[in-house]
């Protein structure tokens, strides 16, 4: 995909759907626990606002972002939670307003980025397209936690294509962040989209492959589900191992979710 506007339009749509989930919540609703341990709905939105701010700094003031990244390196296991805790302490209306303003500022910055621009990040540097894709992935993942807390089932859409793509692109990162050498050969990934279309990635003759529903794959790479609770199928030992460590997000290795009933 070569047009940032496509990804950014989808990011805006995803964000607006999440906004609809939370805009009418009472204070008690904002304080509802989500599947992320210790995180309420307020923490989820605070994290989105915090990460949008970091992305805006990366896109507009790399030196300021570098200072923020140094803070993250100094506290790799707590900096994400610290940002969420700080935002969650705000009154809900202020927190929601901050997220709305921040995400639109980021939209403007990424749309105005010159072709070929690269921005620093907590993982590898990102283009406007990859930054927008990462923000969509995180927005979708945290929306899942919010929806679960509210007992709402969100219908999957074609926007999952972006989540699947970044999950596949981050394959090697999932190994490297754990100190493991990635497999040298690419994998084949064949996913069934919500509308029945087939999304196919990697060489057809790859010895290692993953097949199954796109929704399950996206839930897995965002670590919203345990591999045992999906119907994804791995062919080959390397592919099977990847399913146990896959993560689409930058930063420390995620711990994932426990299997249902555990």
């Amino acid at each position: 995909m070569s047009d940032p506007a496509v990804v950014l339009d989808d990011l805006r749509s995803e964000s607006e759907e999440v906004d609809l989930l939370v805009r009418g919540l009472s204070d008690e609703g904002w304080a509802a626990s989500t599947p992320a341990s210790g995180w309420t709905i307020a923490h989820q939105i605070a994290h989105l606002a915090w990460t949008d701010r970091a992305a805006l700094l990366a896109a507009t003031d790399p030196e300021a972002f570098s200072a923020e990244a140094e803070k993250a390196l100094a506290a790799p296991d707590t900096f994400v939670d610290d940002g969420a805790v700080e935002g969650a302490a705000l009154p809900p209306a202020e927190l929601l307003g901050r997220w709305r303003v921040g995400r639109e500022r980021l939209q403007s910055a990424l749309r105005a980025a010159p072709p070929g621009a690269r921005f620093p990040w907590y993982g590898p540097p990102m283009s406007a397209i990859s930054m927008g894709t990462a923000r969509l992935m995180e927005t979708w993942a945290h929306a899942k936690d919010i929806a679960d807390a509210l007992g709402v089932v969100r219908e999957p859409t074609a926007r999952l294509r972006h989540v699947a793509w970044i999950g596949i692109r981050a394959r090697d990162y999932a190994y490297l962040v754990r100190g493991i050498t990635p497999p040298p050969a690419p994998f084949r990934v064949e996913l069934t989209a919500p509308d029945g279309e087939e999304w196919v990635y990697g060489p057809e003759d790859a010895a290692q492959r993953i097949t199954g529903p796109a929704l399950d794959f996206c839930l897995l790479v965002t670590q919203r589900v345990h591999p045992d609770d999906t119907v994804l199928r791995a062919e080959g030992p390397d592919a099977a191992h990847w399913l146990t460590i896959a993560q689409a997000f930058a930063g420390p290795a995620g711990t994932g979710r426990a299997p249902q009933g555990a």
Side-chain angles (χ1 to χ4, degrees):
M1 187 175 295
S2 59
D3 186 358
V6 175
V7 175
L8 293 172
D9 286 349
D10 282 349
L11 171 59
R12 177 172 281 145
S13 295
E14 193 70 28
S15 299
E16 288 172 351
E17 286 193 11
V18 181
D19 200 303
L20 284 172
L21 287 175
V22 301
R23 67 178 56 172
L25 290 180
S26 64
D27 288 353
E28 291 76 15
W30 281 90
S33 296
T34 70
S37 179
W39 278 31
T40 65
I41 289 176
H43 287 86
Q44 300 283 349
I45 296 298
H47 176 69
L48 291 178
W50 178 88
T51 316
D52 283 346
R53 175 184 174 275
L56 181 62
L57 278 180
T60 60
D61 192 343
E63 290 188 6
F65 175 80
S66 293
E68 291 297 312
E70 288 296 325
K71 295 178 185 178
L73 288 172
D77 296 325
T78 61
F79 80 99
V80 171
D81 283 336
D82 290 345
V85 168
E86 180 181 351
L90 297 171
E94 183 178 346
L95 172 58
L96 182 56
R98 182 176 293 189
W99 178 47
R100 287 170 173 168
V101 170
R103 73 191 196 225
E104 282 305 312
R105 286 178 176 169
L106 179 59
Q107 280 271 344
S108 297
L110 294 180
R111 290 176 189 272
R118 306 285 294 182
F119 311 123
W121 197 238
Y122 299 105
M126 289 189 170
S127 65
I129 291 176
S130 59
M131 184 71 81
T133 303
R135 297 309 309 124
L136 192 154
M137 174 272 296
E138 276 221 87
T139 302
W140 179 82
H142 290 284
K144 168 64 175 169
D145 289 342
I146 293 169
D148 285 351
L150 297 174
V152 174
V153 177
R154 299 187 70 216
E155 291 298 321
T157 72
R159 294 193 295 270
L160 288 181
R161 182 188 294 273
H162 306 299
V163 182
W165 174 238
I166 199 170
I168 291 165
R169 289 291 300 272
R171 188 203 73 165
D172 287 2
Y173 181 81
Y175 287 94
L176 294 170
V177 77
R178 291 165 173 80
I180 304 170
T181 301
F187 294 173
R188 175 80 163 183
V189 180
E190 300 175 353
L191 304 175
T192 303
D195 64 358
E197 182 184 354
E198 291 298 317
W199 297 342
V200 180
Y201 312 86
E204 188 173 0
D205 61 351
Q208 310 289 321
R209 62 183 59 217
I210 304 291
T211 57
L215 177 60
D216 280 15
F217 182 79
C218 292
L219 289 170
L220 183 76
V221 298
T222 56
Q223 297 195 349
R224 262 53 189 179
V225 69
H226 190 275
D228 291 349
D229 295 321
T230 75
V231 296
L232 296 170
R233 180 184 176 191
E235 297 180 28
D238 290 339
H241 182 215
W242 182 41
L243 290 185
T244 69
I245 64 170
Q247 69 178 64
F249 49 89
T255 57
R257 297 281 166 87
Q260 292 181 8

